[in-house]
Amino acid sequence: MDTSVEKSAESLLLEKYHVSEKFGFVLSEPLTELPKYYQPWMETARNVPKLIDSHSLRTHIHQMPLLETHFMKSHRELRLAHLALSVMTMGYVWQEGDRDTVKVLPRILAVPYCEVSQRLGLPPILTHADAVLANWKKKDPQGPLDMENLELLLSLPGGESVRGFFLVTMLVELAAVPGVKAIPKVIAGVRQGEVATVTRALDSISLAINGMKEAFKLMHVYVEPSVFYGVIRIYLSGWKDNPCMAEGLVYEGVQAEPMEFSGGSAAQSSLLHCFDELLGVKHETKSGTFLTRMRDYMPPAHKQLIQDISSHRPSLRDFVLERNNAGLVSAFDRCVSQLVSFRSYHINVVSRFIAVPAARAKQLRSQDQGSEPDQAIIGKAPTALEERGTGGSAIMSLLKTARDQTSNVTIHGPLSSTKTSDLTLISELSSRLSL
């Protein structure tokens, strides 16, 4: 990349958006402890699964002191506090599943939770930014970032499956880092008219999206579908578009009227939003409205990055069409094809973890059977949440529509498996980028 392109890339420095060169959107080196004053929060948050199992979390929370929030100064302190308050809140609301939900979050949680949320620009509910981006540590500080060396700071019911769900999702985020780092290069190259620079950066993005899919495959290794469907999904669910809590939740001491917030969702990850805006993917009204609303659940700096990518001119797709360079067009279409492939794989995962268990749960309820080990888990899943995502969306319809809208932006149509296998494609791109 020549000097003029480097200078242009400086206008989209990732650091100013709180995006790390090493970790991307993942919070680098999150704190594991808050100041001693906040010990009641941390002790309770670390024991949420056990307290839920004994049906005593709500009682325990009512006995906690109401703590002030002004002793926390740093961003990392606030992120850990938000995670702890989020985990306690989700446990408090869903302690008894959908059988005994609450209408009021006690001021002991609600007041500090809303204060911390306001300072961070996040909503007072568990988000992707909490559960995935700021909820990890290495067992061995010098060891690798892999499943064997990672653990959660705080957890929810679901045992090893909830650990697997959050950490695999984090590994998907980490796999995307080379692609995220290539976005400023694409934009700078477009502004300077550097076809070669843009082509190489797009190849980096293609490889990164493929890496995301490979990391995503670990979900089948570390997460049991029946546990996700019957346990984890409940504790990630929010109080918007959720029949279990149609009236929302009153945050006592904050406001008298109930508030509604969506539960944690993959749509709250900034990754696909960034790639969509870069490639010019336009989502249809219903899914587009939902995806845009999910940006309000991201850290404000991450949301700003998405908006700034969207506003850059000329657009990448217009540049590709205008230059009509065969290599550039192919690189662009490969990116789109990889994104379509990732979204298709996401549909397969959701089918296994939500659609299939939902059909099985209906069958179990109608036949009243109880012989299989997972029936006790699946059979108790709330019927109101069947085939819905934790964010409240009709998830299969949303994902299929998003995939189809992605495919529409290709120049010469998405690559088919008959033209080149994924393995061959990745090998070719890796060789070109190493030149």
Side-chain angles (χ1 to χ4, degrees):
M1 188 162 58
D2 66 28
T3 305
S4 62
V5 176
E6 289 177 353
K7 288 181 178 178
S8 184
E10 289 177 0
S11 65
L12 200 69
L13 286 174
L14 294 178
E15 288 83 356
K16 73 178 183 180
Y17 298 99
H18 297 171
V19 179
S20 163
E21 287 281 315
K22 181 178 180 181
F23 296 101
F25 293 104
V26 174
L27 182 66
S28 58
E29 312 298 337
L31 295 180
T32 59
E33 292 287 351
L34 288 174
K36 189 174 181 180
Y37 174 77
Y38 299 102
Q39 189 174 1
W41 289 356
M42 296 305 297
E43 286 184 352
T44 302
R46 287 193 177 101
N47 287 297
V48 161
K50 292 180 181 179
L51 292 168
I52 287 176
D53 189 54
S54 63
H55 301 274
S56 61
L57 176 62
R58 290 175 182 170
T59 300
H60 190 88
I61 285 174
H62 283 293
Q63 296 171 348
M64 290 196 318
L66 176 59
L67 301 180
E68 301 288 339
T69 61
H70 63 269
F71 298 113
M72 290 178 288
K73 304 298 183 183
S74 74
H75 179 77
R76 281 180 172 79
E77 284 179 333
L78 291 169
R79 290 290 291 273
L80 179 55
H82 199 272
L83 171 62
L85 291 162
S86 295
V87 166
M88 286 188 284
T89 294
M90 304 312 278
Y92 185 92
V93 170
W94 299 112
Q95 176 179 289
E96 306 301 328
D98 67 330
R99 297 178 298 280
D100 181 25
T101 55
V102 297
K103 294 184 177 181
V104 179
L105 188 69
R107 69 176 61 243
I108 292 166
L109 280 182
V111 171
Y113 196 12
C114 288
E115 289 176 358
V116 170
S117 298
Q118 185 176 29
R119 290 175 67 181
L120 285 171
L122 290 172
I125 192 168
L126 184 73
T127 67
H128 178 86
D130 300 306
V132 175
L133 303 184
N135 190 21
W136 67 277
K137 66 177 179 179
K138 289 182 177 181
K139 297 175 183 176
D140 173 7
Q142 306 305 317
L145 285 162
D146 60 25
M147 288 298 292
E148 285 65 41
N149 194 43
L150 289 169
E151 58 185 349
L152 298 176
L153 297 177
L154 300 173
S155 191
L156 286 164
E160 283 300 302
S161 284
V162 77
R163 172 186 175 270
F165 180 71
F166 289 151
L167 290 180
V168 168
T169 307
M170 176 191 159
L171 291 179
V172 173
E173 292 272 348
L174 293 176
V177 171
V180 175
K181 289 167 61 177
I183 291 175
K185 297 176 184 177
V186 170
I187 292 174
V190 168
R191 287 173 176 167
Q192 300 297 324
E194 293 285 343
V195 170
T197 296
V198 175
T199 301
R200 287 177 62 86
L202 288 174
D203 286 345
S204 294
I205 293 173
S206 292
L207 285 170
I209 298 173
N210 183 74
M212 290 166 58
K213 186 171 73 172
E214 292 303 307
F216 203 5
K217 292 179 180 179
L218 294 174
M219 202 68 75
H220 298 292
V221 178
Y222 291 97
V223 183
E224 173 59 44
S226 63
V227 177
F228 175 80
Y229 180 79
V231 180
I232 299 172
R233 204 166 49 98
I234 298 172
Y235 291 96
L236 298 181
S237 298
W239 23 102
K240 181 177 175 62
D241 301 324
N242 186 346
C244 295
M245 293 186 66
E247 298 177 2
L249 182 69
V250 173
Y251 287 70
E252 186 182 36
V254 179
Q255 70 175 46
E257 297 77 22
M259 292 191 273
E260 294 184 326
F261 296 104
S262 297
S265 168
Q268 295 170 6
S269 168
S270 301
L271 293 176
L272 296 189
H273 290 257
C274 285
F275 294 141
D276 278 348
E277 294 296 352
L278 184 71
L279 296 169
V281 177
K282 304 298 181 187
H283 296 284
E284 61 90 30
T285 304
K286 188 172 182 180
S287 61
T289 299
F290 174 78
L291 290 170
T292 300
R293 180 161 60 82
M294 289 297 98
R295 296 180 185 182
D296 293 332
Y297 292 75
M298 301 174 186
H302 296 176
K303 178 182 177 180
Q304 187 62 52
L305 174 60
I306 297 167
Q307 293 171 342
D308 288 351
I309 293 171
S310 175
S311 63
H312 82 87
R313 295 293 180 270
S315 73
L316 169 62
R317 194 170 189 276
D318 286 346
F319 176 77
V320 174
L321 287 168
E322 177 189 334
R323 294 305 170 110
N324 196 28
N325 176 279
L328 178 62
V329 170
S330 294
F332 179 88
D333 279 355
R334 278 193 295 270
C335 276
V336 178
S337 184
Q338 287 294 331
L339 196 53
V340 170
S341 179
F342 180 85
R343 284 189 155 128
S344 292
Y345 191 78
H346 193 180
I347 291 169
N348 292 336
V349 172
V350 168
S351 177
R352 185 184 181 207
F353 284 82
I354 295 183
V356 172
R360 182 61 176 148
K362 290 177 182 177
Q363 181 185 31
L364 292 175
R365 280 193 293 271
S366 65
Q367 298 178 357
D368 194 25
Q369 296 176 350
S371 58
E372 297 183 10
D374 65 346
Q375 289 184 356
I377 297 175
I378 293 180
K380 293 180 181 179
T383 57
L385 296 179
E386 280 179 355
E387 299 184 23
R388 298 186 72 84
T390 50
S393 65
I395 191 166
M396 291 300 282
S397 174
L398 173 73
L399 292 176
K400 289 178 180 178
T401 301
R403 178 194 60 190
D404 294 344
Q405 294 294 317
T406 303
S407 184
N408 288 342
V409 303
T410 53
I411 307 298
H412 292 153
L415 293 176
S416 68
S417 58
T418 58
K419 292 181 181 178
T420 179
S421 70
D422 279 351
L423 185 60
T424 302
L425 171 63
I426 299 310
S427 177
E428 290 176 354
L429 293 182
S430 297
S431 297
R432 287 170 57 184
L433 289 171
S434 64
L435 296 176

